[in-house]
Amino acid sequence: MKDIWLKRWVTLSLILLTLTVFVSAIEASPFDNILKRWRKTNVYNDMDGNLTISLTYYSSEYIEAFIQSEAEKNLWTKDETETFKYNYLQSLQLNEMIPINVEFENNGPTIYPGPFDKMIEMKVGNKSYHPADYDKRLNFKFQGKKEGLVYFRRFDEKTGKDLLDGKDRVTVELSSGLSSLLNGRSPRFFWDIKNDDPARLYTGATGARLETDRLLKRLEKLRKDKAEEEARLAAINNEIATIQARLDELAKGQ
């Protein structure tokens, strides 16, 4: 009799465990699964405490899932979603930069990270790059939680070529000197980007607005360059006229 009850109890326990796992899988949103792919986390522990570092790479998949998640959560209309997408893409500066979100949870000795652009670098192929810009709050000492965006240039400053064109992987490395909890280790985070296509984010109304912004910005720069060149040309023409006038005077006196 005891054996029968034991078997029933074990069977019931297995059923409940299976249901729990099944319900958890249902409750996990598609965005949660995508987040796990693009948000990488390293944890460091020793007797002085622990440090958790998480970095997020803004792939097109991640961005689309995040926008859709926010739209569903807030019950936005199509227009409201497009407005959010426009503002979000503008803040990320994806057309010019490669943004990386950096998160810390420091439950150990105070971290003195500034200047932060000396503490982080991006590696693509055999080349390393330092940030073009970053959230300056990352410069200040802290304990507990802190996060901010770090921007790396998307295009080579000399050639204008997209740094990620034809590349399969992006690696971001932090300095081992960031915290004593690292014990001389340099935290590394890498992402497989061979199937990432940022261009697909720039379709529809949002894409048209962002392209308009880009073209207006480019037009403004060209007009400024034109004005500078015209001023330079005018100065040259004035100098030519002055020299010619003096030559005419000298010729008359001979």
Side-chain angles (χ1 to χ4, degrees):
M1 190 69 175
K2 288 182 179 180
D3 290 342
I4 294 174
W5 280 108
L6 181 60
K7 289 180 180 179
R8 288 180 178 177
W9 183 84
V10 170
T11 302
L12 181 60
S13 297
L14 289 173
I15 291 172
L16 289 174
L17 179 61
T18 303
L19 285 173
T20 301
V21 172
F22 180 70
V23 170
S24 297
I26 292 175
E27 289 178 348
S29 70
F31 176 66
D32 292 334
N33 295 326
I34 292 171
L35 176 61
K36 290 176 183 177
R37 280 200 291 275
W38 298 104
R39 184 175 182 268
K40 309 290 187 177
T41 298
N42 289 352
V43 181
Y44 302 89
N45 297 281
D46 71 10
M47 295 184 67
D48 293 326
N50 60 79
L51 172 64
T52 301
I53 307 174
S54 299
L55 269 62
T56 301
Y57 180 89
Y58 289 89
S59 68
S60 54
E61 179 189 42
Y62 175 90
I63 292 170
E64 287 177 335
F66 177 71
I67 292 170
Q68 189 59 39
S69 174
E70 289 297 299
E72 291 177 1
K73 187 193 312 179
N74 296 287
L75 302 177
W76 286 334
T77 64
K78 183 179 179 180
D79 287 344
E80 288 172 330
T81 302
E82 286 292 330
T83 298
F84 175 79
K85 180 180 178 181
Y86 170 77
N87 292 327
Y88 187 51
L89 291 178
Q90 270 202 325
S91 70
L92 293 177
Q93 304 178 49
L94 276 178
N95 56 335
E96 296 179 357
M97 300 290 177
I98 300 168
I100 303 289
N101 193 61
V102 181
E103 302 172 60
F104 296 101
E105 185 169 349
N106 176 32
N107 298 308
T110 300
I111 290 179
Y112 297 83
F116 192 72
D117 58 341
K118 305 300 182 185
M119 292 287 180
I120 187 171
E121 66 178 13
M122 178 182 72
K123 295 183 178 181
V124 181
N126 59 359
K127 293 186 178 181
S128 298
Y129 304 90
H130 285 285
D133 196 11
Y134 63 97
D135 187 333
K136 299 306 186 289
R137 290 175 297 179
L138 293 170
N139 284 332
F140 300 107
K141 66 179 183 179
F142 72 94
Q143 286 182 314
K145 295 182 178 181
K146 176 165 284 196
E147 73 174 288
L149 279 168
V150 178
Y151 298 92
F152 296 92
R153 296 191 189 281
R154 182 171 292 275
F155 300 96
D156 186 281
E157 292 186 90
K158 293 181 179 179
T159 65
K161 183 181 178 182
D162 189 333
L163 298 178
L164 304 184
D165 187 26
K167 304 299 182 182
D168 293 337
R169 174 179 287 192
V170 167
T171 302
V172 174
E173 182 174 317
L174 294 169
S175 170
S176 61
L178 189 65
S179 169
S180 60
L181 293 174
L182 297 175
N183 293 315
R185 294 167 291 181
S186 296
R188 289 187 183 89
F189 305 82
F190 63 88
W191 298 268
D192 180 355
I193 60 161
K194 61 184 176 183
N195 295 320
D196 186 33
D197 181 18
R200 76 189 200 192
L201 296 168
Y202 295 91
T203 57
T206 296
R209 287 181 67 186
L210 288 167
E211 185 176 6
T212 299
D213 291 344
R214 180 181 64 80
L215 292 175
L216 287 173
K217 184 178 179 181
R218 176 64 176 162
L219 186 60
E220 181 181 357
K221 183 180 184 304
L222 289 173
R223 283 173 174 165
K224 181 180 178 181
D225 291 345
K226 179 184 176 184
E228 290 174 353
E229 290 299 321
E230 287 176 343
R232 181 170 171 272
L233 182 60
I236 292 173
N237 286 332
N238 287 337
E239 186 174 358
I240 290 173
T242 300
I243 292 172
Q244 187 61 55
R246 180 56 181 160
L247 287 172
D248 292 343
E249 289 177 4
L250 291 172
K252 289 179 182 178
Q254 291 179 356

